[in-house]
Structures are given as C-alpha cells and as structure tokens.
Amino acid sequence: MEYRQLGNSALKLSAITYGSFAIGGTMWGGTEKNDARKAILTSIDHGITTLDTAPFYGFGLSEALIGESIKDRDRSAIQILTKFGMVWDGSNNGKGDFMMDIDQDGKQYPIYKYASKANVMKEVEESLQRLRTDYIDLLQLHWPDSTTPIEETMEAMQLLIDQGKIRAAGVSNYNEVQMLKAQEHINLASNQVPYSMLKRQIEAKVIPAAVENHIGIIAYSPLERGLLTGKFFNGNALKSDDHRNGYFSQFDLDKVKSLLERIEPIAQEKGATLSQLVLKWTTLQKGVTVVLAGARNEEQAISNAGAVDIDLSNEELDQINQAVNSL
C-alpha cells in the first residue's frame, strides 16, 4: 500500500481509503453487519489503514461498526476520518439548510445541513462515543451550510484541535471559493469531493486551487457507487430501496458501457478487475491525495487494496485517458 501526506497536515493516509457509506445501510438497501466488520478488518490487514465514515451513514451505524471492529487494534496505526453537519434527529430545531427526507425503518426523517459551533461540538462527542476513541484524525464538514458563517464552523474545529479531540480539519463538497474561505480561518487539510471517470468537474477550479494552496483532495465515488465495476451491465439486480436505481439514471449508460469495454482489455492484461483499474487510474490523477473505495465484504476489501499494485505504463495511461476523454 502507498501512504500519502494529506495537505499541510501531519496525517499520512492510505492511497486507497475505506469508504463506509454502504455499510451504514441507509439508501443502500440495508447492511449485513458481520460482513461489514470483516470488510473493515480485512481492509486494515491489507494496508488500507484509513477509514472514512460519517454519522449520517446508517444514522450512527457505520461509525459504531468501525468502533466495534477496531476496538482491539492498535489505534495509532489507524486513521479515522469522520464528518458532521447532516442532522436527522431534530436536534437542530429546524435550523440549517433542509436537504432531503429519508425513509428509514418505516419512518421519515428530514435531513438538514447544519454546521453551527454548538452542533459541531455536540456531534463530535457523539462520534467519539460511537467510534470508541478519544480522538478523530480528520474531522470534515459533510456539506456546506449556508445558514452558518464558515468562520463559525472553522472556529469550532480549531477549538477541537486545541482540545486534542481532532488532529486535523477538512471540508467536503466545497467549491473552490468556499474552500479558500475556510482556509482563511484554519489550516485546512482537505476537501472531500466527488471525482471519477464520469465526473471530472473539479479538474477545472477545485483541484488547481487545492494544489496551489496545499490542500489535500479526498476523491469519493470513484467507482460511481459500483457502476464502473461493470457488474451493473452483467445483470446484477439492485434492491428496490437501493438509491442507485435512480442515481445511475444521470449517466448515458451506453457510453459508460462502451468506456468499460475499451479499458477492460488493459485490466485483463494486468490480471486485474475493472474496479481495480479504475481505482488505480483515479489515484494517479493530478491533485488527488487519496481515493475512497467502499467494501461490504472481505472479497471487495481485498480487491480494493490490490488496486495500488497495478503498474500502468505511460502508453496504457494514454489509452485509458483517450477512452475517458471520449465520453
């Protein structure tokens, strides 16, 4: 595994980072807890020492599964990344930006983006308990909240750094203006943003601004929630409550299939899967520090870790880039 420094922080993260959205089950058709625990530990055993989670993922379940899974492991050898600012329990009293309604276990929950100082402090204490740890390596604002000044949110995170409860501060889903505004008030370690062969918008402004200002980029959804694994085109059915039924509709699926058919021979030549090739390509893109990859079982965890071992020549990279640029 390759390990990379995150921006100006002292953190070194695994180039492939474990993404735990799916194991939370919310919007993913549920989860199998035993498989999730095995996926977490197998990831760590294969060098993926960085675990990214959030309270929203399963309304605390994802964090709890990570905390339970690693309770007997060397905490100093694991980097925990979590978030705050997506409130579902009504504790925001209607404050913040309404985001969406989520159906969970037969009940509807209104989700708000809320990043007030008081809420940051509250959520961190809850996350520490679920994660069974006394510090978080990287705390990230999950989504921008237009009702809370950026400086108020950053002030809260700086206080948490001073208290030793977090080691570094990051944001997520920030554009370049918001990102640089946040950095005026804190040593901003990173911005976690969507990036894949199918979504490259951050190449225009976010990545150049991050590179110039030494801010790390954490790329999420590099496999577009499984679409770029190719399994969807091989008849793998999704559960009715799986959000990907709607998510995939934003893409021209014929073009996506054509892309995968063009790059699959390279994966086969390397003895790799399509998902491994896509992950490797993503780790090589300018400005990208680490790449999130979810795993719901041991097999997926091992596959993700193996992506970094693929050796691509300049000619092979050119072939992949030509296929990506043809979209």
Side-chain angles (χ1 to χ4, degrees), residues 16-164:
I16 301 294
T17 287
Y18 181 80
S20 68
F21 185 12
I23 66 168
T26 301
M27 300 172 63
W28 288 84
T31 192
E32 173 36 65
K33 294 179 181 179
N34 287 333
D35 285 347
R37 295 185 193 99
K38 291 176 182 177
I40 293 164
L41 293 176
T42 300
S43 295
I44 295 170
D45 290 340
H46 285 77
I48 299 178
T49 60
T50 308
L51 312 175
D52 180 86
T53 184
F56 172 70
Y57 302 161
F59 294 171
L61 177 59
S62 174
E63 286 186 327
L65 284 170
I66 287 175
E68 179 184 347
S69 299
I70 67 172
K71 65 181 186 297
D72 297 322
R73 295 298 182 103
D74 178 3
R75 175 67 180 87
S76 66
I78 299 169
Q79 304 84 48
I80 297 178
L81 285 47
T82 194
K83 308 178 187 76
F84 67 90
M86 287 184 71
V87 179
W88 70 87
D89 61 1
S91 61
N92 58 314
N93 296 315
K95 297 178 181 178
D97 287 325
F98 175 75
M99 189 175 186
M100 59 184 169
D101 286 315
I102 290 289
D103 291 319
Q104 179 87 350
D105 300 325
K107 183 178 178 181
Q108 190 174 74
Y109 295 85
I111 310 300
Y112 284 84
K113 296 179 285 186
Y114 188 48
S116 73
K117 181 178 179 179
N119 186 63
V120 178
M121 310 306 285
K122 168 186 175 292
E123 286 203 50
V124 165
E125 293 302 325
E126 294 169 346
S127 290
L128 288 170
Q129 291 183 22
R130 287 189 290 258
L131 291 163
R132 305 190 189 192
T133 186
D134 57 2
Y135 71 96
I136 292 162
D137 293 276
L138 177 70
L139 180 69
Q140 306 158 93
L141 170 59
H142 206 149
W143 283 91
D145 165 25
S146 69
T147 71
T148 303
I150 288 176
E151 52 266 36
E152 177 181 336
T153 306
M154 297 306 120
E155 178 187 344
M157 287 205 278
Q158 184 61 57
L159 178 58
L160 289 165
I161 291 174
D162 295 341
Q163 292 175 345

Side-chain angles (χ1 to χ4, degrees), residues 97 152 160 164 200 215 244 252 296 319 322:
D97 287 325
E152 177 181 336
L160 289 165
R200 300 166 58 196
I215 298 170
R244 291 175 294 177
D252 185 326
R296 302 183 78 167
Q319 291 177 29
Q322 287 174 15

Side-chain angles (χ1 to χ4, degrees), residues 187-205:
N187 179 27
L188 191 67
S190 59
N191 188 7
Q192 183 174 145
V193 282
Y195 183 65
S196 72
M197 290 179 169
L198 308 182
K199 284 186 180 178
R200 300 166 58 196
Q201 291 89 338
I202 63 168
E203 291 178 355
K205 294 181 179 180

Side-chain angles (χ1 to χ4, degrees), residues 293-307:
R296 302 183 78 167
N297 54 53
E298 292 176 281
E299 181 183 3
Q300 292 173 351
I302 294 170
S303 174
N304 291 342

Side-chain angles (χ1 to χ4, degrees), residues 190-326:
S190 59
N191 188 7
Q192 183 174 145
V193 282
Y195 183 65
S196 72
M197 290 179 169
L198 308 182
K199 284 186 180 178
R200 300 166 58 196
Q201 291 89 338
I202 63 168
E203 291 178 355
K205 294 181 179 180
V206 173
I207 284 184
V211 171
E212 182 178 353
N213 291 275
H214 308 289
I215 298 170
I217 290 291
I218 300 174
Y220 75 79
S221 293
L223 295 172
E224 287 300 350
R225 311 191 187 189
L227 184 61
L228 291 176
T229 67
K231 295 177 182 178
F232 179 78
F233 299 105
N234 294 326
N236 282 36
L238 300 174
K239 293 183 178 180
S240 60
D241 56 349
D242 193 317
H243 75 287
R244 291 175 294 177
N245 287 296
Y247 183 83
F248 289 167
S249 65
Q250 68 184 287
F251 303 111
D252 185 326
L253 296 180
D254 288 335
K255 287 186 176 180
V256 175
K257 184 178 181 181
S258 176
L259 165 66
L260 297 179
E261 289 173 346
R262 288 181 64 179
I263 67 175
E264 187 167 24
I266 299 175
Q268 292 175 342
E269 184 177 331
K270 301 293 179 181
T273 64
L274 269 172
S275 61
Q276 288 176 319
L277 183 67
V278 172
L279 289 175
K280 178 66 175 185
W281 176 88
T282 312
T283 67
L284 297 175
Q285 301 311 295
K286 181 179 179 180
V288 172
T289 309
V290 300
V291 176
L292 298 189
R296 302 183 78 167
N297 54 53
E298 292 176 281
E299 181 183 3
Q300 292 173 351
I302 294 170
S303 174
N304 291 342
V308 295
D309 297 327
I310 301 173
D311 185 24
L312 294 173
S313 67
N314 289 334
E315 181 181 356
E316 288 164 336
L317 272 173
D318 286 343
Q319 291 177 29
I320 297 172
N321 290 333
Q322 287 174 15
V324 172
N325 291 334
S326 69

